[in-house]
């Protein structure tokens, strides 16, 4: 009788654990997936980041987000509405930058600028942004690493963060 009772004991413990696991899986599946455009700073330095995108009213550039070393920030909250986003970042301590070939407008202080032409004539600065094709994903993450922060090399590729 001793060995006949053991399977029941194991079953008695396994059933509540299985029920708990299924319940947790259902809660995770029921929670909405987080959708946004995030930038992670894998360096040890403070980085200033600007983003560009096409809105219904035309081109927009926004900045500056200050991202501490070894941390991430969400630049756009919610599902992404554009396929292409553009990023420019500067290392606030070492002076390096992550840039690209697409010219857009930036400002010295916090900014939200409509349009990407005649930057200097309109009182802004021109900066080269790197293009990220999100493939129409709902969320995307770009990681800035030490390697490109030496004077104008593109940032690491972005990834779908889902």
């Amino acid at each position: 009788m001793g060995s006949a009772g053991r399977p029941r004991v194991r079953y008695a413990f396994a059933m509540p654990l299985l029920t708990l696991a299924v319940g947790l899986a259902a809660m995770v599946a029921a929670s909405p997936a987080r959708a946004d455009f995030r930038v992670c700073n894998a360096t040890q330095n403070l980085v200033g980041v600007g983003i560009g995108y096409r809105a219904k009213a035309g081109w927009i550039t926004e900045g500056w987000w200050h991202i501490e070393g070894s941390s991430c920030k969400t630049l756009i909250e919610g599902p992404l509405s554009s396929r292409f986003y553009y990023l420019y970042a500067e290392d606030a301590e070492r002076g390096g930058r992550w840039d690209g070939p697409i010219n857009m407008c930036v400002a010295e202080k916090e900014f939200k600028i409509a349009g990407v032409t005649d930057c200097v004539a309109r009182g802004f600065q021109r900066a080269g942004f790197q293009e990220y094709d999100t493939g129409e994903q709902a969320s995307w993450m770009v990681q800035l690493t030490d390697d490109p922060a030496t004077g104008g090399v593109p940032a690491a590729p972005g990834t779908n963060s889902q």
Side-chain angles (χ1 to χ4, degrees), residues 36-95:
D36 51 28
F37 191 103
R38 293 174 53 82
V39 175
C40 293
N41 176 7
T43 76
Q44 297 303 307
N45 301 329
L46 176 67
V47 172
V49 177
I51 191 168
Y53 54 91
R54 181 109 175 135
K56 288 181 182 178
W59 289 102
I60 303 288
T61 53
E62 293 185 66
W64 297 103
W65 282 268
H66 298 110
I67 307 174
E68 298 289 334
S70 301
S71 68
C72 299
K73 275 222 172 135
T74 298
L75 277 55
I76 297 174
E77 292 185 6
L80 302 180
S81 59
S82 296
R83 177 175 176 175
F84 296 96
Y85 288 86
Y86 303 83
L87 203 69
Y88 174 81
E90 293 182 352
D91 185 317
E93 296 171 29
R94 293 190 336 218

Side-chain angles (χ1 to χ4, degrees), residues 1-14:
M1 179 95 167
S3 64
R6 284 194 182 144
R8 288 186 189 164
V9 171
R10 286 185 189 152
Y11 179 73
F13 286 113

